[in-house]
Amino acid sequence: MDTEAFREWSHRAADWGADYRASLASRPVRAQVAPGAVAGMIAAAPPETAEPMEAIFADFERIVPDAMTHWQHPRFFAYFPANAAPAAVVAEQLAGVMAAQCMLWQTSPAATELEIRMVDWLRQAVGLPEVFEGVLQDTASSATLCAVLTMRERALDWSGNRDGLTGHPALRVYASSRTHSSVDKALWIAGLGQRNLVKIPTDRNLAMDVDALRAAIAADRERGLLPAGVVVNVGGTSVGATDDVRAVCEAASEADLYTHVDAAWAGSAMICPEFRTLWQGVELADSIVFNPHKWLGTPMECSAHFVREPETLVKTLAIQPEYLKTHGKDGVINFSEWSVQLGRRFRALKVWFLLRAYGLEGLRARIRGHVRLARQLAARLSAEPDFEIVTAPVLSLFSFRYTPGRNHTDLDSLNLRLVNAINDDGRIYLTQTEHDGRLVIRFVAGQFDTRPEDIDIAFEAICAVARAL
Ligand SMILES: *Cc1c(COP(=O)(O)O)cnc(C)c1O
């Protein structure tokens, strides 16, 4: 492809993108395809000879968009949002065209230095003290893995990477029973084992029982095991379960344990000072992650990982073979030493465009709007005789059930049928979860462009589909 053809196809792609975004509200939110349908339309073997771009692009338009679930749809109320604000998408196009490899300062100085600044902008935006520095990881799962590896190395006096894990008592990590599965996976990958993730029960407020945490740590020490760290939950995925960050960090610090706060979703809302009570005490943590790629508006992947002492993270993850040493550049930051992967994308550019194009006030207005809209919908549903709110809104997430009649025997299967019927209907997209043994339907407002009318449509769709079951 020569320069002129590249120019033309880039324009075509940009035009397609603008039309796509304009078409979103009239598309069904969740893909309406059967498994295997797309694979059946793709050639089974790669082409031996070049094909014209016209044909490739036409196939893209024919096959892909209708078989996508539209995360940028204003009526996407499932999972958590994965917002891609248009200004940040433009930055992603620029980063893509440079296709930089940002592992070391010298392989992309602008990317490294912009990343240092953007992590600090995000730190200020969510109100963390200056002592925190950080890195943009790909996902919260990676940040949590890095934190668990740091817990491991710190507890083993930095010998684990060198000597492996044999010959030590089992290391123990503590988290509430309502933390995300990425914590379980981090223990698997770190070689610590599922059974050494100690799940602490939660209280009435869905927060970790801190007395039970203290007791578990003491009991493990008694048995000769090696407590290493605590993962703190802020805005859990299922129904927004949140620990008392201050109390957990204080208990962890009494026991000299490393703490990692998982605020993957809720962290974006901390740009609004009035919501910061949710993670009160967070300044006591050693490590914190939140995902600008969820609620804030940067396209996937962008996870802000803050650490109180970068040295402990770098001591855990830096590996420097001769060919990676950047001679004469000592004192510069090489972000590959702060993460699992070596090669890394230019993530800071989309953060820079996002924060400048909307301003913190613009982003706060969106997040406040989502919280308000979710509360309004919860209030409207709870006023209906045949719906009940199961968990009250945490920021913009609540859960509910359809409960027609008093003696309905199988509300779980009824609600599962309801969520499937709502998603087949296509006007909105919701997901279910299990809460205290019951199947409940989650509602999350948070898509960047959700408007009040979209919440009206959600209310009508939920009620109408339920009553037609
Ligand atoms: C989404 C989420 C994660 C996982 O985030 P990824 O960036 O997809 O790895 C972890 N914890 C919580 C609480 C989440 O909501």
Side-chain angles (χ1 to χ4, degrees):
M1 183 179 280
D2 63 19
T3 303
E4 283 317 306
F6 177 57
R7 186 186 312 283
E8 189 201 321
W9 284 105
S10 299
H11 284 155
R12 285 274 293 270
D15 283 342
W16 185 88
D19 292 342
Y20 168 73
R21 299 206 47 133
S23 78
L24 278 167
S26 60
R27 290 173 177 270
V29 191
R30 194 203 55 187
Q32 307 285 325
V33 286
V38 173
M41 288 190 273
I42 308 290
E48 290 294 339
T49 55
E51 298 185 56
M53 272 298 283
E54 203 64 66
I56 302 169
F57 203 92
D59 280 348
F60 161 75
E61 290 189 283
R62 181 173 60 87
I63 298 170
V64 177
D66 288 344
M68 294 297 284
T69 292
H70 304 292
W71 287 71
Q72 307 314 311
H73 196 296
R75 292 188 296 278
F76 184 101
F77 303 119
Y79 304 100
F80 282 135
N83 285 330
V89 173
V90 172
E92 205 60 330
Q93 289 168 354
L94 301 175
V97 84
M98 289 186 287
Q101 213 289 36
C102 308
M103 59 182 172
L104 306 174
W105 179 86
Q106 76 168 21
T107 65
S108 287
T112 300
E113 296 191 12
L114 200 57
E115 184 161 339
I116 295 170
R117 274 279 189 266
M118 288 310 105
V119 170
D120 200 60
W121 280 18
L122 290 169
R123 173 192 69 73
Q124 296 174 53
V126 298
L128 290 174
E130 254 175 68
V131 41
F132 287 96
E133 294 176 46
V135 54
L136 297 176
Q137 308 280 14
D138 53 2
T139 56
S141 302
S142 291
T144 297
L145 173 59
C146 291
V148 168
L149 291 168
T150 306
M151 291 173 187
R152 185 190 82 187
E153 287 307 296
R154 183 177 168 276
L156 294 178
D157 200 19
W158 319 102
S159 70
N161 282 333
R162 187 185 61 227
D163 300 335
L165 299 181
T166 49
H168 294 289
L171 275 80
R172 306 284 273 179
V173 173
Y174 308 84
S176 109
S177 55
R178 298 178 190 274
T179 39
H180 190 266
S181 57
S182 57
V183 180
D184 302 64
K185 212 170 192 179
L187 266 91
W188 300 3
I189 301 170
L192 303 186
Q194 179 76 59
R195 73 156 73 118
N196 293 308
L197 175 59
V198 185
K199 300 249 173 113
I200 307 292
T202 54
D203 62 18
R204 267 187 310 123
N205 302 320
L206 312 183
M208 189 191 298
D209 176 341
V210 181
D211 290 334
L213 169 67
R214 282 203 174 83
I217 296 169
D220 282 349
R221 287 240 158 89
E222 190 77 9
R223 290 165 60 203
L225 305 179
L226 198 49
V230 185
V231 178
V232 193
N233 194 22
V234 173
T237 310
S238 180
V239 294
T242 298
D243 297 332
D244 178 339
V245 181
R246 181 182 305 285
V248 174
C249 287
E250 283 171 356
S253 144
E254 287 161 21
D256 188 31
L257 301 188
Y258 191 87
T259 46
H260 171 66
V261 173
D262 177 4
W265 162 66
S268 292
M270 301 302 125
I271 65 171
C272 306
E274 71 272 26
F275 298 140
R276 290 184 192 152
T277 46
L278 196 70
W279 73 359
Q280 231 163 36
V282 70
E283 66 282 357
L284 302 175
D286 294 304
S287 164
I288 302 158
V289 66
F290 92 90
N291 281 351
H293 74 217
K294 275 188 169 150
W295 202 352
L296 204 60
T298 61
M300 298 284 296
E301 301 161 334
C302 186
S303 250
H305 182 197
F306 301 100
V307 284
R308 167 183 300 285
E309 280 181 4
E311 309 75 53
T312 49
L313 180 65
V314 172
K315 223 165 142 181
T316 301
L317 295 171
I319 188 163
Q320 280 214 328
E322 196 52 35
Y323 61 87
L324 286 180
K325 289 206 173 123
T326 50
H327 296 289
K329 290 278 182 226
D330 286 351
V332 305
I333 285 189
N334 295 316
F335 274 121
S336 55
E337 299 180 345
W338 298 50
S339 55
V340 171
Q341 61 194 156
L342 174 62
R344 32 201 326 280
R345 303 181 60 227
F346 188 174
R347 300 193 185 104
L349 198 65
K350 55 195 171 188
V351 179
W352 195 37
F353 275 48
L354 177 82
L355 295 179
R356 294 182 66 189
Y358 301 91
L360 288 176
E361 268 308 316
L363 298 173
R364 285 185 195 115
R366 281 188 155 76
I367 284 176
R368 286 175 179 140
H370 298 146
V371 171
R372 192 169 54 241
L373 292 173
R375 286 180 185 160
Q376 285 166 0
L377 181 65
R380 281 171 82 179
L381 282 175
S382 76
E384 294 296 307
D386 45 358
F387 283 93
E388 80 179 28
I389 302 303
V390 179
T391 57
V394 174
L395 301 171
S396 66
L397 161 66
F398 69 89
S399 67
F400 67 95
R401 262 161 77 98
Y402 179 48
T403 54
R406 272 163 202 269
N407 300 320
H408 210 289
T409 42
D410 204 353
L411 284 177
D412 277 1
S413 66
L414 179 69
N415 278 275
L416 186 58
R417 268 173 47 218
L418 173 57
V419 84
N420 289 331
I422 287 171
N423 295 335
D424 289 342
D425 170 85
R427 277 176 284 175
I428 65 172
Y429 183 25
L430 301 176
T431 40
Q432 73 279 3
T433 188
E434 189 236 289
H435 179 66
D436 290 347
R438 290 185 294 172
L439 185 132
V440 300
I441 303 178
R442 297 167 74 257
F443 183 93
V444 189
Q447 202 286 321
F448 208 70
D449 296 319
T450 294
R451 307 149 303 171
E453 327 51 304
D454 296 310
I455 301 294
D456 294 338
I457 296 172
F459 177 74
E460 285 155 22
I462 292 167
C463 292
V465 174
R467 288 163 193 164
L469 273 183

